[in-house]
Amino acid sequence: MANSDLVRLIEAIDRLAAGGFVMGADWQAVHDICQRHEGEQPFDWGHALCHRIEGDDWNADYWYRRAGKTRGTGTMADEWSAMRAVLSQKA
């Protein structure tokens, strides 16, 4: 896993969070980064968050399982805060 790509993922989700976790260009940027690293836990977790934002719980849960995580029950901001702490340690 390239640490620079993990940093890019964190930065991209930060932009998505700043925009209120809405579908659009920032969402697509996160999704694209995650797809390029399919099978790598941090990126699969990001992929799960993307599909949770999209409202596709079935697909989100698939990616959460692949990442070894469970879907958050709080707000997107709460989930991102917890994710960001973990991902930042890996970057």
Side-chain angles (χ1 to χ4, degrees):
M1 167 180 33
N3 280 352
S4 61
D5 286 344
L6 188 51
V7 169
R8 279 195 268 288
L9 176 63
I10 292 166
E11 291 170 348
I13 300 177
D14 279 344
R15 286 190 300 277
L16 182 60
F21 298 102
V22 297
M23 300 292 295
D26 290 329
W27 181 93
Q28 190 63 53
V30 172
H31 194 257
D32 290 348
I33 292 167
C34 292
Q35 282 189 312
R36 284 194 299 272
H37 291 275
E38 185 175 325
E40 297 176 42
Q41 187 272 341
F43 297 93
D44 287 351
W45 195 8
H47 205 156
L49 183 65
C50 279
H51 289 293
R52 181 175 177 217
I53 291 165
E54 184 182 31
D56 185 348
D57 290 344
W58 182 90
N59 201 3
D61 287 345
Y62 168 81
W63 289 105
Y64 281 114
R65 284 190 305 276
R66 294 220 20 191
K69 303 291 181 182
T70 57
R71 182 171 10 126
T73 57
T75 67
M76 297 296 171
D78 290 341
E79 184 168 356
W80 173 233
S81 179
M83 284 178 69
R84 193 180 198 294
V86 172
L87 297 181
S88 292
Q89 290 178 353
K90 295 180 181 195

